[in-house]
Amino acid sequence: MSAAMDTESTYSGYSHYSGHSKKAHRQGRDRHKSPRSKDGSRSEKSVTIQTPPAEPLLGNDASRTEEGQDDNWGETTTAITGTSEHSISQEDIARISKDLEDSVGLDCKRYLGLTVAAVLGLLVFLTPIAFILLPQILWRDDLEPCGTVCEGLFISVAFKLLILLIGTWALFFRQPKADLPRVFVFRAILLVLIFLFVFSYWLFYGVRILDSKDTNYQGIVQYAVSLVDALLFIHYLAIVLLELRQLQPMFTVKVVRSTDGESRYYSLGHLSIQRAALVVLENYYRDFTVYNPALLTASKSRAAKHMAGLKVYNVDGPGNNPSGQSRAMIAAAARRRDSSHNELYYEEADHERRVKKRRARLVVAVEEAFTHIKRLQAEEQQKAPGEMMDPREAAQAIFPSMARALQKYLRTTRQQQYHSMESILQHLSFCITNNMTPKAFLERYLNPGPTLQYDRDRWFSKQWTLVSEEAVTSGLQDGIVFVLKCLDFSLVVNVKKIPFIKLSEEFIDPKSHKFVLRLQSETSV
Amino acid sequence: SYFISFSFQQRIEIHKLRQGDNLILGFSIGGGIDQDPTQNPFSEDKTDKGIYVTRVTEGGPAEVAGLQIGDKIMQVNGWDMTMVTHDQARKRLTKRNEEVVRLLVTRQSLQKAVQQSMMS
């Protein structure tokens, strides 16, 4: 299942189906809900990174120490993709039916994991209480009376359990942010540790105390207290392993988008590859400008034209020598004197000029439109009741005067599919409500923003696959490269270690700041 | 062919020209022990803090007497000029009661090898 993760073979674009989930069905419902413009874009309606919030745990269970019902819980899901809503081919149907069968398996796995964790948590929480209560229930009469000391210990057990409860709630009860491919190693280790620990305590208790009906009640209570103390220490260990260790930055990660080369750098601590991928993706949505396939057509057409002019004929017989052919083509292409660089230069210069002209027209139109709107002061509201409008109406009133200029500008910068008229009107009324200037209104249209700014339907990147030569649960090392692929493009991530910095000090006495004047004068005599 | 550079000393006698209330010599000096020797374009050794001739006005008394730009002034009327400040040098050259100054200057010269000139 997860083997597909690591060895990405290249099928066609549709074939990332290694997966399964009933989410495909949920997406099916969404498909019918939101009509989409038929602009030929192949965007995905598949599982996104945000999974729905997991149901809250069994109510009174809250003090499971380490396990979270939450993010990165140990199911081994693999990449899940959906189908395009416009065309369903035969293979897709076959795959959908396969998904149906697999999806049941996956959900069982995830819920099984959650249940096990919940049971373990409940067990762990109730164990100290059981240790204290069992002797009272079973052989109450034989117990030595133990007065103030025991009561003090009861109070301490109660409060420590309360603290454990609050700590676990604060730290581990979070909504899952993502589906990760593999088990989170540290969590698994901690779970096993807790299980062994509690098991050994019970073993000792069963053999030494229950069987022999120990009468020293104070000792038993102290035994229970030691268990709770140890649980608190394990909680501390969990914080250090799961939260603190990756805070200190150790690696610098360069993320490059494959289609247009946009790159960013991030600092990460000691993380596993899958968690590093998660951090990169979270930052991708905020930092990278939105992927716009319309901007890539120019370079593609140039590349096509470049190779289209050459044909290779094999006159030596049927022997097929592909490498020789390609080398011949490359050599011929290099020798051919073409002026495509010239074309590119003039085309780009022309485009720049056009964009600037349209931008100027747009700015002027918007500024003029905004002057027509004036916010009414409170006392003027009584004087002119007839003309009052709410922001939406005001927006609709001034929109026509700038609509044409805005549309032309968006067409020139190829952003028109990202902004519908409704969204523009909405943004306009938002700006009017918040007293924004025309420039603030235009900020969203003049520069392409990050992916988060746009409507979910316009994202080309909702389903990601992690491609890595190393195991995705292994930690980051210097020189690791992994790729985050989505259907239309990929992000290549290159990890570099932050260099060891040797810092030494030099003390300069402030009194030593003395200066001389160095001149070279020339005097005529 | 190769070049030899050597310096030779020369004695130059300048008769000051009267211009209004002043007696001028017609050249400019640079250098001095209070100046920055590394900025001197004429010195061969950049730690040399001597007084150098930085400009010679055309047709002035100095040019007429044969002073050239780049000359290092060693003595003025018997006073040593190799270890003086810029201002002291100026004062020694512009004494109001002197009409003639006799300078001892050092000039650097590049000359083609004697051997080559003998062969040609």
Side-chain angles (χ1 to χ4, degrees):
Chain A
M1 28 153 200
S2 306
M5 289 286 312
D6 292 348
T7 57
E8 275 295 300
S9 57
T10 49
Y11 302 133
S12 73
Y14 280 108
S15 62
H16 287 264
Y17 286 97
S18 38
H20 23 251
S21 99
K22 70 180 187 189
K23 290 186 187 114
H25 306 292
R26 221 178 291 141
Q27 295 301 321
R29 279 208 306 277
D30 291 347
R31 218 181 284 169
H32 301 300
K33 256 196 294 186
S34 57
R36 301 231 329 256
S37 63
K38 311 250 181 206
D39 51 358
S41 52
R42 248 182 350 154
S43 45
E44 290 286 27
K45 276 283 220 191
S46 51
V47 176
T48 73
I49 291 253
Q50 273 91 5
T51 58
E55 50 270 41
L57 266 233
L58 323 170
N60 50 358
D61 150 15
S63 88
R64 291 179 316 163
T65 40
E66 278 36 79
E67 45 297 45
Q69 35 97 23
D70 51 352
D71 54 1
N72 324 341
W73 185 238
E75 63 274 46
T76 48
T77 69
T78 53
I80 300 164
T81 58
T83 62
S84 147
E85 66 169 10
H86 298 299
S87 63
I88 301 187
S89 62
Q90 192 59 29
E91 309 117 325
D92 298 355
I93 293 183
R95 283 194 199 101
I96 289 174
S97 54
K98 188 171 76 122
D99 290 354
L100 278 175
E101 305 160 274
D102 291 339
S103 68
V104 180
L106 169 71
D107 277 356
C108 271
K109 211 175 295 179
R110 179 198 286 192
Y111 288 131
L112 186 68
L114 286 179
T115 326
V116 165
V119 166
L120 188 62
L122 198 59
L123 190 72
V124 165
F125 181 69
L126 293 177
T127 298
I129 301 177
F131 282 2
I132 295 175
L133 288 178
L134 277 177
Q136 296 272 353
I137 297 172
L138 294 179
W139 61 92
R140 173 186 276 263
D141 309 318
D142 300 330
L143 285 178
E144 289 166 21
C146 138
T148 353
V149 181
C150 278
E151 285 160 19
L153 289 174
F154 288 154
I155 293 181
S156 87
V157 164
F159 276 108
K160 281 177 188 164
L161 279 178
L162 181 68
I163 290 175
L164 205 55
L165 204 79
I166 297 178
T168 313
W169 170 81
L171 209 51
F172 299 114
F173 281 26
R174 280 179 290 209
Q175 286 193 358
K177 282 190 295 187
D179 257 345
L180 289 186
R182 298 246 182 207
V183 170
F184 191 3
V185 171
F186 282 143
R187 276 175 198 251
I189 290 177
L190 281 167
L191 268 185
V192 170
L193 186 68
I194 293 172
F195 177 70
L196 286 176
F197 177 75
V198 171
F199 181 71
S200 62
Y201 261 73
W202 269 109
L203 204 60
F204 182 87
Y205 187 78
V207 167
R208 291 300 206 87
I209 297 181
L210 281 181
D211 277 355
S212 62
K213 298 218 189 273
D214 191 4
T215 55
N216 177 10
Y217 192 50
Q218 184 177 336
I220 297 174
V221 176
Q222 272 173 340
Y223 183 66
V225 173
S226 79
L227 172 63
V228 181
D229 287 341
L231 286 177
L232 278 173
F233 284 129
I234 293 187
H235 188 256
Y236 156 77
L237 187 68
I239 296 178
V240 164
L241 278 183
L242 299 181
E243 302 285 319
L244 288 184
R245 189 166 172 261
Q246 58 256 24
L247 287 183
Q248 198 178 39
M250 297 287 301
F251 298 98
T252 313
V253 173
K254 177 174 183 179
V255 185
V256 182
R257 184 157 60 185
S258 64
T259 49
D260 58 358
E262 186 168 344
S263 63
R264 292 274 187 290
Y265 286 88
Y266 299 114
S267 282
L268 297 176
H270 276 294
L271 291 174
S272 60
I273 291 184
Q274 60 183 3
R275 289 188 73 194
L278 192 62
V279 171
V280 164
L281 284 176
E282 285 165 6
N283 286 325
Y284 167 80
Y285 283 104
R286 185 197 58 185
D287 290 332
F288 279 71
T289 59
V290 64
Y291 168 71
N292 195 348
L295 293 173
L296 302 169
T297 51
S299 57
K300 282 190 193 151
S301 66
R302 265 204 305 279
K305 255 198 298 179
H306 191 65
M307 282 307 194
L310 297 172
K311 283 186 174 190
V312 177
Y313 294 99
N314 199 343
V315 296
D316 290 331
N320 206 357
N321 184 6
S323 67
Q325 268 184 9
S326 50
R327 247 181 274 139
M329 277 192 83
I330 293 174
R335 255 179 252 130
R336 181 174 68 169
R337 196 180 306 176
D338 74 295
S339 56
S340 59
H341 57 275
N342 234 357
E343 279 173 35
L344 172 63
Y345 169 68
Y346 283 115
E347 199 182 297
E348 278 195 347
D350 203 34
H351 183 255
E352 280 266 335
R353 217 170 24 91
R354 237 180 311 138
V355 166
K356 284 201 175 128
K357 243 194 189 168
R358 295 253 165 107
R359 186 177 188 269
R361 283 204 193 118
L362 174 63
V363 169
V364 163
V366 172
E367 281 174 358
E368 279 180 18
F370 267 66
T371 56
H372 294 310
I373 293 280
K374 187 170 162 311
R375 182 175 270 268
L376 281 182
Q377 299 306 317
E379 60 275 7
E380 292 174 6
Q381 272 182 9
Q382 291 93 28
K383 292 185 206 162
E387 303 162 6
M388 277 199 308
M389 297 185 280
D390 70 355
R392 173 97 191 161
E393 289 165 357
Q396 275 165 342
I398 60 175
F399 179 66
S401 60
M402 66 164 92
R404 192 142 178 272
L406 183 59
Q407 193 187 41
K408 278 193 152 168
Y409 179 80
L410 289 178
R411 279 246 172 81
T412 315
T413 52
R414 306 218 187 100
Q415 285 176 297
Q416 73 270 21
Q417 71 263 30
Y418 286 100
H419 304 285
S420 66
M421 189 171 106
E422 179 56 39
S423 77
I424 298 176
L425 272 175
Q426 226 174 0
H427 186 236
L428 187 55
S429 60
F430 169 78
C431 291
I432 291 176
T433 318
N434 292 306
N435 280 333
M436 292 206 196
T437 60
K439 204 165 177 199
F441 164 71
L442 280 177
E443 167 268 335
R444 174 189 260 229
Y445 302 108
L446 292 180
N447 309 309
T451 318
L452 281 177
Q453 187 178 294
Y454 298 99
D455 195 21
R456 274 269 181 106
D457 297 342
R458 300 298 171 199
W459 296 1
F460 282 89
S461 51
K462 287 192 271 196
Q463 177 55 53
W464 297 92
T465 312
L466 174 57
V467 179
S468 154
E469 291 165 355
E470 322 264 331
V472 298
T473 48
S474 65
L476 289 178
Q477 306 277 341
D478 186 29
I480 282 187
V481 175
F482 59 92
V483 177
L484 285 158
K485 263 211 262 206
C486 80
L487 206 63
D488 298 300
F489 60 93
S490 54
L491 297 173
V492 181
V493 181
N494 199 349
V495 178
K496 288 192 183 48
K497 198 167 156 67
I498 294 180
F500 180 74
I501 298 175
K502 245 178 126 68
L503 200 59
S504 56
E505 78 160 298
E506 183 183 335
F507 176 69
I508 295 188
D509 188 0
K511 294 200 260 268
S512 71
H513 293 307
K514 303 251 182 271
F515 295 93
V516 293
L517 199 58
R518 295 165 77 81
L519 292 175
Q520 182 66 15
S521 348
E522 191 186 10
T523 320
S524 59
V525 294
Chain B
S1 70
Y2 53 90
F3 289 93
I4 320 174
S5 95
F6 54 92
S7 51
F8 56 89
Q9 292 191 334
Q10 192 165 351
R11 291 185 187 279
I12 293 182
E13 185 175 299
I14 306 179
H15 297 261
K16 292 189 189 178
L17 180 68
R18 181 164 292 279
Q19 259 190 11
D21 206 19
N22 303 323
L23 285 167
I24 63 161
L25 288 156
F27 66 97
S28 300
I29 52 166
I33 53 176
D34 58 337
Q35 305 284 303
D36 181 7
T38 59
Q39 294 184 38
N40 189 343
F42 304 109
S43 57
E44 194 166 282
D45 174 15
K46 290 302 171 193
T47 59
D48 181 6
K49 295 191 178 181
I51 307 292
Y52 280 77
V53 174
T54 57
R55 231 181 331 136
V56 177
T57 49
E58 278 197 12
E63 192 188 22
V64 165
L67 192 64
Q68 289 182 12
I69 186 174
D71 290 350
K72 179 178 175 182
I73 303 178
M74 310 291 284
Q75 287 179 10
V76 171
N77 285 349
W79 292 100
D80 171 57
M81 298 288 267
T82 55
M83 279 287 157
V84 292
T85 67
H86 189 85
D87 208 42
Q88 284 171 342
R90 180 191 59 84
K91 283 190 188 142
R92 286 190 189 159
L93 284 165
T94 54
K95 288 202 157 67
R96 292 180 76 85
N97 51 359
E98 286 174 355
E99 289 224 1
V100 178
V101 284
R102 291 184 180 80
L103 309 178
L104 177 65
V105 301
T106 299
R107 183 176 301 158
Q108 294 206 340
S109 211
L110 290 180
Q111 184 131 356
K112 277 204 177 140
V114 177
Q115 199 170 15
Q116 215 240 326
S117 63
M118 275 170 55
M119 282 202 304
S120 61

